[in-house]
Amino acid sequence: QVQLVESGGGLVQPGGSLRLSCAASGFILDDDYTIGWFRQAPGKEREGISRINSGDGRIHYADSVKGRFTISRDNTKNTVYLQMDSLKPEDTAVYYCAADPLIYSDSFWLYPEDLELWGQGTLVTVSS
């Protein structure tokens, strides 16, 4: 199976932290893939929040999470992480990881319907 599986979501108080994991199986997650994170809050559009571009490995963040979230990868574990700090209620959403071997740069966020691989999502709720 070619699969991405997210984990690490849950309930956290404002100002708290969570680390999400996205484990790849059935393929090797390396620099040939752009890998990133999306989220979708109730009543809102799906939002690309972070990615690591294939090839050059450049990291990008949406303005809404810049300075608070950190994306990283561990090739040994075939896993990508999203460290989320200083969480706010508006961060409440279902978080998805996605990967694609061909799509990169801004197209990764602009045309998410074209991405090859998606996880099932993990719910993050930020509330007191």
Side-chain angles (χ1 to χ4, degrees):
Q1 285 183 319
V2 176
Q3 191 175 28
L4 297 173
V5 179
E6 303 98 333
S7 62
L11 175 65
V12 64
Q13 293 184 345
S17 297
L18 286 173
R19 189 180 73 162
L20 306 183
S21 299
C22 175
S25 61
F27 72 104
I28 298 175
L29 183 61
D30 57 23
D31 288 347
D32 290 334
Y33 286 82
T34 296
I35 181 73
W37 291 89
F38 295 78
R39 67 185 182 186
Q40 188 163 19
K44 293 188 175 181
E45 297 290 325
R46 180 170 48 190
E47 176 190 18
I49 57 173
S50 187
R51 71 176 189 268
I52 305 173
N53 282 342
S54 62
D56 63 9
R58 291 182 64 183
I59 295 174
H60 298 261
Y61 297 98
D63 289 342
S64 58
V65 306
K66 191 175 299 182
R68 299 187 298 119
F69 291 10
T70 304
I71 189 172
S72 62
R73 71 195 308 164
D74 185 340
N75 289 340
T76 301
K77 298 181 179 179
N78 216 30
T79 299
V80 172
Y81 303 96
L82 185 68
Q83 177 67 42
M84 305 186 296
D85 298 319
S86 301
L87 284 162
K88 305 173 181 179
E90 53 263 42
D91 294 318
T92 296
V94 177
Y95 285 72
Y96 302 89
C97 63
D100 197 278
L102 298 175
I103 301 174
Y104 56 91
S105 191
D106 289 345
S107 295
F108 192 84
W109 288 349
L110 292 172
Y111 308 107
E113 66 275 9
D114 294 334
L115 302 181
E116 181 177 332
L117 300 172
W118 285 89
Q120 83 290 343
T122 185
L123 176 63
V124 173
T125 303
V126 184
S127 176
S128 59

